[in-house]
């Protein structure tokens, strides 16, 4: 339980009471709160504050402390109710309004947060965080028009105060990436310039870069990836999440180029492998696609060799099979093996050549005679062993 904010506020209140011009009883209670926090008696902290608020309901300092204490102790709704009372009593203090908005967001009460944030930016129009949260809320409820208006309005207003926002530039990039590449690139330039000042925490910058990555991937505008690399280079170190995100989007950029230059069968195989799905449908789909490559060995062999040279990262995703397919060793055996697996589920694959045309199977589909033998049944060959240890191994 983190009572850091409570401790800091109690210290400030006690310093204010040091002139002894205020009721001694209040000073005594705040000293008891301080002692309880230091001794980690958090229930006592809340009990004393509740008593103080009940005795002096107009004491905003006590209510503020209790709201923070509730939140630290895991009572967010109680905390919100107090912040609502505080904002009603002090409607012109923007910091209270922003705290309430953040509390709403922590509970995913986006509509309430949005309304409170509009009040907040009216009270403190030069607060970058409030504007960023307002745009984020508008975007979360998929009101793109309002989010866009809030974003560009906030950027213009904050500029008047000499304030730049890396997050607002990231939002502006997302709103313009499909409209005008030159303008979108300008916002990325702004982000890089702000990052070079290095005033904020690395985690803040990484959050922005991940958002830019997501927008690039969704819009398939991979020409912006060098700019993302430039952003990452401005960080002293990058997290595993960011490194993985950059790697995945760069891989998707290669996949997008692959769709233009290579046979559909190869592209489909790499898509399945890259997605990492292990469901039965994907597994059977992959086997069917492999059958196509094995069936048209002469057509696919030069394409696979070209793939290994032009896109080695993509080739490496399924290199074991691709190497076997290029060599052509035991090709009939490999096809038969895959047809047996598919026939167990009564699947008859549609085979396609490298040029996209359909072909008939180059080998007979395996058909089981009689019922399927269970793996733990005795082998019908008469060896006395279980089927899985004998002919079914």
């Amino acid at each position: 339980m983190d009572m850091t904010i409570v401790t800091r506020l109690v210290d400030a209140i006690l310093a204010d009471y040091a002139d002894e011009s205020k009721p001694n009883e209040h000073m005594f209670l705040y000293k008891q709160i301080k002692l309880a926090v230091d001794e980690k008696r958090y229930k006592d902290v809340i009990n004393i504050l509740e008593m103080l608020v009940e005795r002096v309901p107009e004491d905003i300092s006590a209510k503020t402390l209790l709201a923070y204490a509730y939140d630290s102790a895991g009572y967010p709704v109680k905390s919100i109710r107090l912040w609502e009372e505080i904002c009603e009593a002090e409607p012109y203090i923007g910091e209270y309004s922003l705290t309430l908005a953040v509390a709403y967001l922590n509970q995913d009460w986006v509509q309430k947060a949005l309304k409170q944030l509009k009040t907040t930016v009216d009270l403190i129009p030069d607060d970058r965080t409030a504007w960023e949260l307002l745009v984020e809320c508008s975007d979360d409820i998929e009101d793109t028009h309002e989010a866009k208006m809030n974003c560009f309005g906030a950027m213009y207003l904050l500029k008047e105060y000499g304030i730049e926002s890396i997050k607002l530039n990231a939002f502006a990039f997302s709103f313009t990436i499909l409209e005008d590449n030159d303008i979108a690139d300008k916002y990325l330039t702004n982000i890089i310039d702000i990052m070079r000042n290095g005033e904020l925490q690395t985690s803040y910058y990484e959050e922005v870069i991940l958002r830019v990555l997501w927008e690039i991937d969704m819009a398939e505008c991979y020409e912006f990836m060098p700019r993302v690399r430039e952003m990452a280079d401005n960080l002293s170190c990058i997290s595993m999440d960011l490194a993985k995100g950059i790697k995945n989007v760069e891989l998707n950029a290669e996949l997008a180029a692959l769709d233009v230059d290579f046979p559909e069968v190869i592209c489909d195989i790499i898509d399945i492998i890259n997605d990492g799905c292990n469901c039965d449908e994907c597994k059977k789909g992959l086997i069917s696609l492999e059958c196509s490559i094995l069936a048209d060995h002469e057509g696919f062999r030069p394409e696979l060799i070209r793939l290994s040279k032009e896109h080695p990262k993509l080739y490496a995703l399924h290199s074991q099979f691709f190497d076997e397919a290029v060599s052509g060793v035991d090709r009939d055996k490999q096809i038969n093996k895959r047809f047996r697996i598919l026939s167990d589920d009564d699947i008859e694959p549609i085979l396609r050549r490298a040029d996209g045309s359909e072909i008939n199977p180059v080998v007979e589909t395996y058909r089981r005679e009689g019922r399927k033998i269970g793996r733990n049944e005795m082998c019908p060959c008469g060896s006395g062993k279980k089927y899985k240890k004998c002919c079914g191994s």
Side-chain angles (χ1 to χ4, degrees):
M1 191 181 298
D2 187 5
M3 286 277 183
T4 306
I5 297 177
V6 175
T7 303
R8 191 169 67 245
L9 290 176
V10 170
D11 288 340
I13 292 169
L14 286 173
D16 191 36
Y17 273 100
D19 58 11
E20 297 185 0
S21 62
K22 296 178 181 177
N24 288 333
E25 184 186 3
H26 288 187
M27 177 179 268
F28 172 77
L29 288 173
Y30 280 116
K31 283 182 177 179
Q32 291 302 308
I33 293 167
K34 169 70 172 169
L35 183 63
V37 171
D38 291 343
E39 295 177 355
K40 298 183 179 180
R41 293 183 286 108
Y42 300 129
K43 284 187 178 181
D44 289 343
V45 172
I46 291 175
N47 289 337
I48 297 169
L49 282 168
E50 286 176 338
M51 181 178 66
L52 186 56
V53 168
E54 187 177 353
R55 287 186 181 183
V56 192
E58 68 275 8
D59 189 341
I60 298 298
S61 296
K63 283 188 174 181
T64 302
L65 276 171
L66 183 55
Y68 281 123
Y70 277 149
D71 192 52
S72 299
Y75 304 118
V77 176
K78 283 186 174 182
S79 177
I80 285 172
R81 296 297 172 247
L82 266 179
W83 281 117
E84 288 173 341
E85 288 180 22
I86 293 167
C87 288
E88 188 175 349
E90 300 285 352
Y92 301 112
I93 299 182
E95 288 75 12
Y96 292 159
S97 180
L98 179 57
T99 303
L100 176 57
V102 171
Y104 285 146
L105 281 176
N106 289 339
Q107 292 300 111
D108 290 328
W109 297 351
V110 181
Q111 291 290 354
K112 282 193 170 187
L114 186 62
K115 183 179 178 181
Q116 196 64 42
L117 284 166
K118 288 178 181 178
T119 301
T120 304
V121 296
D122 285 340
L123 295 171
I124 38 176
D126 61 340
D127 192 291
R128 177 175 57 198
T129 301
W131 281 111
E132 288 173 351
L133 289 174
L134 179 62
V135 175
E136 194 171 339
C137 278
S138 303
D139 193 54
D140 282 347
I141 63 173
E142 298 183 352
D143 190 339
T144 306
H145 176 72
E146 183 174 352
K148 196 173 181 179
M149 295 295 290
N150 286 334
C151 178
F152 293 121
M155 290 177 71
Y156 177 81
L157 189 59
L158 290 174
K159 193 172 183 180
E160 295 291 307
Y161 291 100
I163 300 171
E164 293 283 353
S165 167
I166 190 171
K167 276 191 176 180
L168 291 179
N169 274 283
F171 275 111
F173 170 75
S174 70
F175 296 139
T176 55
I177 187 172
L178 294 176
E179 297 175 2
D180 192 316
N181 278 12
D182 291 336
I183 294 176
D185 189 67
K186 182 189 76 172
Y187 293 121
L188 294 184
T189 301
N190 291 345
I191 292 171
I192 293 168
D193 290 342
I194 296 169
M195 288 180 69
R196 281 175 181 155
N197 293 329
E199 296 176 356
L200 300 169
Q201 291 182 345
T202 300
S203 58
Y204 181 90
Y205 293 134
E206 287 202 350
E207 182 184 340
V208 170
I209 296 174
L210 284 168
R211 178 177 181 85
V212 170
L213 271 175
W214 186 83
E215 294 291 349
I216 289 171
D217 204 21
M218 290 296 292
E220 295 187 0
C221 293
Y222 298 113
E223 63 270 23
F224 291 111
M225 282 306 294
R227 304 292 270 159
V228 172
R229 275 290 178 191
E230 196 175 347
M231 291 179 204
D233 289 342
N234 279 292
L235 301 178
S236 55
C237 61
I238 62 174
S239 67
M240 292 289 289
D241 285 343
L242 180 56
K244 185 179 178 181
I246 292 173
K247 182 180 177 181
N248 287 342
V249 177
E250 285 179 338
L251 201 61
N252 289 343
E254 282 201 64
L255 282 168
L258 200 72
D259 288 339
V260 177
D261 297 330
F262 284 83
E264 188 178 353
V265 170
I266 293 177
C267 296
D268 289 346
I269 285 177
I270 293 175
D271 276 338
I272 291 173
I273 298 296
N274 188 47
D275 287 342
C277 180
N278 287 317
C279 72
D280 285 342
E281 186 177 350
C282 287
K283 286 179 181 177
K284 297 298 191 297
L286 181 62
I287 292 171
S288 297
L289 292 166
E290 289 174 347
C291 287
S292 289
I293 289 180
L294 293 168
D296 185 20
H297 173 256
E298 294 303 319
F300 280 105
R301 186 174 184 276
E303 296 295 337
L304 291 174
I305 293 171
R306 185 163 68 94
L307 178 70
S308 67
K309 293 177 180 178
E310 296 180 11
H311 300 281
K313 290 181 181 178
L314 299 181
Y315 186 91
L317 291 175
H318 205 40
S319 59
Q320 184 176 350
F321 168 75
F322 288 153
D323 288 344
E324 291 174 357
V326 168
S327 71
V329 175
D330 293 330
R331 186 165 64 94
D332 289 349
K333 182 179 177 182
Q334 291 293 335
I335 296 176
N336 270 319
K337 175 184 173 182
R338 286 166 172 77
F339 266 85
R340 275 193 213 96
I341 294 171
L342 295 175
S343 66
D344 284 346
D345 292 320
D346 295 324
I347 298 172
E348 188 169 337
I350 299 173
L351 304 181
R352 288 175 286 166
R353 293 189 179 90
D355 62 12
S357 61
E358 290 187 13
I359 53 177
N360 293 321
V362 296
V363 294
E364 258 188 49
T365 303
Y366 173 80
R367 299 289 183 186
R368 185 189 301 112
E369 294 181 7
R371 70 177 186 85
K372 182 177 179 179
I373 302 167
R375 285 172 50 76
N376 288 310
E377 291 180 26
M378 301 305 292
C379 189
C381 73
S383 66
K385 298 179 181 179
K386 288 187 178 181
Y387 181 69
K388 66 181 180 182
K389 295 287 187 180
C390 189
C391 296
S393 61

